Amino acid sequence: MADTVAKAEERRLPRVKPATDIIEKEDGFYIYLDMPGVSKEHLVIDLNEDELKVSGKAEYALAEGQKLGHVEFGGGEYFRSFTVSHIVDKERIKASLRDGVLELHLPRQEKAQPRKIEIQAG
């Protein structure tokens, strides 16, 4: 029965889009997502072709015998997805989580350098 109650409580977590800033710099794009209470273990970042999905869960355990009466902050599920431009080097995307803020760095692809084509004698 305790498992059933725990699963019912888990389903009731509000699902929200985290506040997000996207900054373009010379070396690429920086995405900052506000995800308070989310630990690295509860954070998932998936890249599937051109779609980058970020999800995380913040959970706050109640002591035995406690029950929530009213909640304005607390546990929740965060979800956000982004379309990744063709100018982003998808192999070099990096993420860091610090003080409840997830930072994603999407570096630009290096431009192909012009070069001379060698002609083979036939």
Side-chain angles (χ1 to χ4, degrees):
M1 172 120 174
D3 268 351
T4 306
V5 172
K7 287 181 182 179
E9 289 289 323
E10 185 177 23
R11 279 189 222 116
R12 284 191 271 160
L13 289 174
R15 188 170 186 176
V16 296
K17 280 186 173 180
T20 303
D21 290 337
I22 301 174
I23 299 171
E24 183 176 3
K25 296 183 181 180
E26 198 165 305
D27 66 337
F29 301 90
Y30 290 82
I31 302 175
Y32 299 93
L33 296 100
D34 191 23
M35 302 177 81
V38 176
S39 66
K40 180 180 174 184
E41 295 76 28
H42 290 105
L43 183 62
V44 177
I45 305 169
D46 287 322
L47 178 64
N48 186 4
E49 294 186 19
D50 291 339
E51 185 176 27
L52 182 68
K53 292 182 181 179
V54 178
S55 61
K57 187 183 292 186
E59 295 181 288
Y60 301 95
L62 293 174
E64 190 171 322
Q66 289 183 338
K67 187 176 178 182
L68 294 174
H70 177 76
V71 178
E72 290 189 7
F73 71 93
E77 291 184 40
Y78 297 95
F79 179 79
R80 193 80 188 243
S81 65
F82 304 92
T83 300
V84 178
S85 169
H86 67 281
I87 65 171
V88 169
D89 185 345
K90 295 176 188 145
E91 298 299 318
R92 295 186 0 207
I93 294 174
K94 292 186 179 173
S96 64
L97 181 64
R98 188 177 303 116
D99 298 328
V101 177
L102 174 64
E103 176 185 323
L104 297 169
H105 177 224
L106 287 69
R108 292 182 191 274
Q109 285 190 11
E110 294 181 17
K111 294 180 182 175
Q113 297 297 319
R115 62 184 180 94
K116 292 213 180 259
I117 306 297
E118 187 176 326
I119 302 169
Q120 301 291 324

